[in-house]
Amino acid sequence: MSDKTKTYEFQAETKKLLDIVINSLYTERDVFIRELISNSADALEKFRHESLTSEDVFDDHVPLEITIDLDEEKHLLTITDTGIGMTRDELEHNLGTIAHSGSNTFLTELAEAVQKDVNLIGQFGVGFYAAFMAGKSVRVQSRSWDGSEGHEWLSDGSGSFSITELEGLRRGTKIIVELKDDAQEYAQKFKVESVVKRYSSFVPFPIKLEGETVNTVQALWTRNRSEISEDEYTEFYKFVGNAVDEPVYRLHFTADAPLMINALLFAPKENFEVLGFGKMDPGVNLYCQRILIDQHSKNILPEWLRFLKGVVDSEDLPLNISRQALQDNALVAKLRKVVTKRFLKYLDEEAKKDEEKYLEFWSTFGIFIKEGATSDYEYQKELGKLLRFESSKSDKGKPVSLADYVLRMNPDQEEIYYINGPSRAAIEAGPYVEMFRKKDIEIIYTLEPIDDFVLSHLAEFDGKKLVSADRADLSIPESGGGKDEDTDDKEEQKLEDEAADSLVSWLKETLKDQVADVIVSKRLVDAPAMIVNPDGYMTSSMERVLAASRAEKGLGLDGGSRKNLEINPKNPIIKRLAELQKEDTDFASDVALQIYDNAMIQAGLVVDPLVMVERNYKILNRAIGD
Ligand code: ADP
C-alpha cells in the first residue's frame, strides 16, 4: 500500500447492509448493473446541469456518456461515466455511509424487502452496494468536475475500504467490478447487453457496450401520446421511479399556456411510507428542454404529492437556474400550481370514471390527500372533491365523496354534518347520530383521527358549511324523511319544564368542576345525555389527538376545554333523576357524575377510570339492593 492510502471502517449500518447484500439469494442479481448505470446517469445529469451554471469546469470537452467494458479472462466488468465524479471526501462519505438511514427500523425493513426482492434495493437509496452481489471486490476510480486530484476507492465489502490518490484520471467515475466465481456471466457481452436493454433503455445518455451504443436516447415525455405503447410507459415508470410495481394512474399532458409544460406523472401501487420506510423523498424530476435541472424535486410539486413519480419539463425555465434559486423562483411556483391543479383534476375525473379503482387508490394514498387538505389552503377546493368518507348512507367500507353527500342533501338542509368515532358500530350506537337517523339526514363518519382536522380546515364544500355533530350550537333542520310521527307521544312523556329547569340548575352545581354548562337537549332521542363542544372549531376527536400528542411530549394533561352536557328530558333515567335529586342528593350526585362520565366516553374523551369504577360499584351495590 502506498503512503497515500488510507483505510476506513464502514459505518455500522453499512456493514449490516453489505452483509445482507452479500448473503442474500441472487435470483435477481442483474439489478446491480441497473443500479450502477443509474448512478452514472445521475452523475451525468448533475454534470450537465453544473456545466450550464458554472464557468470553471474540468474536462469540459469530454462527451457525456456511459461506457461498459468487459474482460472475460480477468472476470472484470467496468462501467465508466463522464459525469460529475467524486472528490476524495465524497468517495469517503458517499460510499461508506448510508444517507437515508434515519429511522431505527430502516435496516430491518430493508433486510426484509431485499430478501423478498433484491429489486427493491434502489428504493432505499443504497444502490451502489448492490455491486457486491456480483463483485468479490469493487474498485471505484473517480475524479471530480472541480478538477481536484483523482482517487481510487477499493473494498471487498467485508468491513473496510481504502482510498488512494490516483493520477491521470479523466473527469467522472469508473467502477471496476471483479466478478465472483459464480457471477462470471457478467463479463459476457450478450448477457450484459440483455440486462442493459431490459433495465436501462430510458437512460438519457448513450450507453456504449464495447464500442457499440446499445440504447436509444430519448425523452419519452416529449413524444406524442399516441405513439407511446403501454409497455413503454410502464418501463419508463419503473426507470424513473426506481420501481418494481406497475403504476395505478398515469397522466401525460402538454400545455402551451400559461406555460410550456410537458409532464408525465405516475401514481404507484404501493405506498412505501406506510410500510415503515419513513418519509419518502419526492419522486418527480424537473427538466428544462430535456435537461435534468432538479432530481427528486422538492419544488415542482407540493410536499404532500411526494408519492408521485415522473417528469415535469418546461422550456420556460431558464436553463442555467441553480438548484437553490428554484426554491423562490416565481416561474417554478406557477409551474407547480398548474401541474398540481391539473393532476388533482385528473384524479377527480378518474374517480368519476371508475370509482372502484379510485377507492383502491384512496385506501393507499388517501392519507396524502388528507395531508394536503390539512396543510395547503391553495388546493382546498380541488382536494375537497377527492376526499372519501363513510357515512350513514354509505355501505360499510365503501366511502363516499362530499359531492355525493351534497346530491343527497334534504331540501331544507344547508350544512354537511360529520361525527368522529373509532368505528361505524361505535358511532351508530352513540348519541350523536340519533336525531340524524330520526330525521333521515345523512351524517359523515370520520373514522380516522386526522379526519376532523381535514374537515375543520376545509370548513366548507360546495358552499355548504362542514359541521361536526358534537358542536353545542348545532341546529338540525326540520327533516326530509318524515320519520317523526312519534315526536308527539314522546312530548307528552317528557319532563315538565319546571322540573327540567330545577334538574338543570342542580346538575350545573353538582357538575360545576366538570362542565361549562348543562342544557336540555333538543336533539337526543333515546340516550340520557351527551357531551357537546361550545368551541365551534374543536371537535372532541381533535381534542383527543392534541391531548395524546401533549402526553407523548411529556407535557401532561391540560384537561382540555370545558364541555357542555346536554340531557334528554324524555329519557327515563333523567326523569327519575329529577326526583332522586330531591330525595337522596348523595346518590343522585353519583348518578349524575356517572352519566357525565358515560357521555365523555361516548365522545371518545378521557375519564379517570379508577374514580369511575369505584363509583360504578357503589351504584351497582344499591341496584342489587344492598
Ligand atoms: P443513491 O444513488 O440512491 O444516492 P447509492 O448508494 O447508489 O445511493 O450512491 C450513493 C452516492 O454515491 C450517490 O448519491 C452519489 O452521490 C455517489 N455516487 C454513486 N455512484 C456515482 C457515480 N457514478 N458518479 C458520481 N457519484 C456517484
Side-chain angles (χ1 to χ4, degrees), residues 42 57 122 159 177 196 219 234 251 303 392 516 524 541:
D42 287 353
V57 171
V177 182
V196 172
T234 305
L251 172 65
E303 200 186 358
S392 56
L524 281 169
S541 154

Side-chain angles (χ1 to χ4, degrees), residues 99-100 273 279-287 292-312 317 322-329 332-337 339-340 371 376 378-379:
H100 305 282
E273 212 159 279
K279 204 164 181 175
M280 58 174 114
D281 285 335
V284 174
N285 302 332
L286 180 60
Y287 283 75
L292 183 67
I293 296 188
D294 194 16
Q295 189 173 30
H296 306 303
S297 179
K298 288 190 164 72
N299 305 298
I300 190 57
L301 288 172
E303 200 186 358
W304 44 270
L305 283 178
R306 60 188 175 277
F307 64 96
L308 293 182
K309 313 278 181 201
V311 166
V312 174
L317 286 176
S322 76
R323 217 155 288 135
Q324 292 85 316
L326 284 171
Q327 216 174 334
D328 356 83
N329 183 284
V332 175
K334 205 162 162 192
L335 200 58
R336 173 171 60 228
K337 192 165 172 172
V339 177
T340 303
E371 186 184 321
D376 210 330
E378 200 170 355
Y379 307 102

Side-chain angles (χ1 to χ4, degrees), residues 441-456:
I441 295 170
E442 181 168 7
I443 175 162
I444 285 167
Y445 301 160
T446 54
L447 302 176
E448 302 291 336
I450 190 184
D451 289 349
D452 282 16
F453 290 92
V454 171
L455 293 179
S456 160

Side-chain angles (χ1 to χ4, degrees), residues 438 479 481-491:
K438 190 169 165 185
S479 103
K483 280 198 195 159
D484 32 27
E485 307 85 51
D486 64 347
T487 316
D488 290 339
D489 307 350
K490 289 247 170 97
E491 278 299 306

